Amino acid sequence: MNTEQPADKRSSACAVFPKTYRLTKTDDFSSVFGFRKTVRGRYFLLHYRVRAAEEATGARLGVVVAKRLLRRSVDRNLVKRLARESFRIMRCRLRAYDFVLRLSTKPVPLDRRVLAEEIRGLLGKMISPER
C-alpha cells in the first residue's frame, strides 16, 4: 500500500470529483439549458449558467450524450468518462458556473484523443482569469 503524501495537497484536493460537483437533478439541468448561454465546438455544446451567490462555490458539471448519436452504451460511457476526467482536472481553475456538456453531432470515427482535446478546449474557454 502506498502511504506517501502528495507534495502539493491543494492540487490533490482540487483533483477530486465528489457528488457535490455534479449536476444530478432535472431542475439543475433545466436551469442551465434555460439560461441559453453556450460555447460551440465541432462535436459538443457547452451550456453554462452563473451560480448564484447563495449557492455553494465551485463549478459543477452535467453530461448529456444522446442515444440517437451513439447507439452503443460503451461509446456513450466513454464520452462521459472523458468529460468528467477533463472537468476533474480543470475544476479548480473554472469559474463558479454550472456546466452541461452535450454531444451535438455524431463523431465519426470515435477518436477519444480528438474528443478529449475538444472538451479541454471548451472548458479552457471558461477558466477564471484571476486564477
Side-chain angles (χ1 to χ4, degrees):
M1 185 170 3
N2 188 2
T3 58
E4 294 179 24
Q5 293 293 327
D8 184 11
K9 288 186 179 185
R10 184 182 183 283
S11 67
S12 65
C14 287
V16 297
F17 192 50
K19 200 167 189 172
T20 56
Y21 297 118
R22 302 176 193 174
L23 294 179
T24 56
K25 298 179 182 168
T26 304
D27 291 343
D28 294 337
F29 281 88
S30 298
S31 67
V32 175
F33 287 132
F35 196 64
R36 298 202 183 269
K37 294 286 188 181
T38 61
V39 177
R40 179 177 289 277
R42 181 175 176 192
Y43 299 114
F44 293 98
L45 286 173
L46 181 65
H47 301 268
Y48 61 94
R49 178 186 72 91
V50 179
R51 296 188 72 190
E54 64 271 2
E55 293 177 324
T57 59
R60 296 190 306 170
L61 176 71
V63 183
V64 177
V65 181
K67 190 185 257 188
R68 66 181 174 83
L69 295 175
L70 294 174
R71 295 297 297 171
R72 298 180 341 146
S73 62
V74 174
D75 297 334
R76 292 192 305 273
N77 291 334
L78 170 69
V79 172
K80 291 176 189 178
R81 277 195 317 273
L82 291 172
R84 287 191 300 260
E85 181 65 11
S86 296
F87 178 79
R88 183 186 70 81
I89 292 169
M90 300 175 76
R91 183 184 57 79
C92 283
R93 296 178 293 165
L94 293 171
R95 296 179 181 145
Y97 287 178
D98 285 342
F99 297 104
V100 175
L101 185 71
R102 190 178 86 186
L103 187 66
S104 60
T105 59
K106 183 175 184 173
V108 177
L110 187 67
D111 185 2
R112 70 177 57 209
R113 190 167 287 141
V114 171
L115 295 175
E117 286 175 10
E118 182 173 337
I119 293 167
R120 283 191 299 268
L122 289 173
L123 289 173
K125 292 178 181 178
M126 307 311 279
I127 288 180
S128 180
E130 65 270 1
R131 290 187 182 180

